[in-house]
Amino acid sequence: MAQIAPLADPLAGAPRPVDPLPDPARPRARRWPRARLGRVLAPFWHLGDQPPAQSAGAVPINALAPSDIGLLIVHYALLGAEDRKARFRSNLSFSALSHRYHTLDWGSFRFLGARVGQRLVAVAELAPLPDGIGPGRELALSVLGPWQHSGIGERLMQAAMRFVCTEERQPLVLFVRPDNKPMVRLARKLGGACQAENGDYSFVFPAA
């Protein structure tokens, strides 16, 4: 039986057109579109409208781990604009919060959180004091709106004092703006020694 020779490629040896390479895309900073941000936070928006469903005394307070970064960012994102400014001295965006806590040195910082289900209703952030001030930790306290004046902030601050002053045997320092009267009253109530510094108050709780 005769064999059929394969057909020759009519384009063999002919130059082929070359598609020009597209210009490399410039790196762009990650942004969170408003619609996407709304989807991320949608399960949590009701926290701003509903009062606490349980007593603040029954809410567990535990140390937070790097695996809790998502809950931590959502907690700060749900603070009211004025509360976020009081906490960070700036109304940080969701992207800025995400960058801050994904790049944080978790070996130096400690966090305590009051958790209701999978939500953090209050957070105590314990940062190392800046160089030159001495050993100790700086406390930054934040409480979601519906839980303010419930007593959870006082419980969380007491837990921070036990951890830093008693367990770590270091002083705890709280910097407060004079117009943040609820926090000023709480710091005085818990025995902080007050000093005026650069227009702010600093309350020092000594090591036990």
Side-chain angles (χ1 to χ4, degrees), residues 15-201:
R16 297 179 182 270
V18 178
D19 295 331
L21 294 176
D23 293 334
R26 294 182 179 180
R28 300 178 60 186
R30 184 179 182 184
R31 297 179 181 274
W32 287 82
R34 186 179 299 273
R36 184 179 178 188
L37 177 58
R39 290 194 299 271
V40 171
L41 299 181
F44 305 95
W45 287 132
H46 69 280
L47 286 173
D49 302 324
Q50 296 182 358
Q54 65 187 98
S55 167
V59 176
I61 294 175
N62 303 107
L64 303 181
S67 57
D68 296 311
I69 286 178
L71 296 179
L72 188 65
I73 294 170
V74 168
H75 166 80
Y76 289 129
L78 289 175
L79 292 174
E82 290 302 316
D83 290 336
R84 200 177 307 117
K85 286 180 182 178
R87 167 61 188 84
F88 297 102
R89 298 184 180 270
S90 174
N91 190 7
L92 293 184
S93 66
F94 189 86
S95 295
L97 289 168
S98 180
H99 175 76
R100 170 183 169 85
Y101 289 100
H102 277 100
T103 58
L104 196 72
D105 179 8
W106 281 75
S108 300
F109 284 70
R110 297 292 183 270
F111 293 86
L112 302 176
R115 191 188 304 248
V116 176
Q118 291 300 310
R119 303 185 295 266
L120 291 173
V121 298
V123 169
E125 182 172 329
L126 302 168
L129 288 176
D131 294 338
I133 295 182
R137 291 191 181 274
E138 177 185 348
L139 168 64
L141 197 66
S142 56
V143 181
L144 292 184
W147 288 85
Q148 293 177 7
H149 311 293
S150 69
I152 192 64
E154 181 173 348
R155 286 189 58 221
L156 192 57
M157 192 165 172
Q158 290 172 328
M161 292 169 61
R162 286 193 298 271
F163 175 75
V164 177
C165 302
T166 303
E167 296 182 24
E168 291 192 329
R169 296 184 180 276
Q170 297 189 91
L172 179 66
V173 181
L174 174 68
F175 296 99
V176 186
R177 295 188 314 184
D179 59 351
N180 190 349
K181 295 181 180 179
M183 187 60 70
V184 171
R185 286 195 297 267
L186 179 58
R188 291 188 188 277
K189 177 182 178 180
L190 297 181
C194 180
Q195 296 180 0
E197 185 175 344
N198 298 326
D200 288 344
Y201 291 153

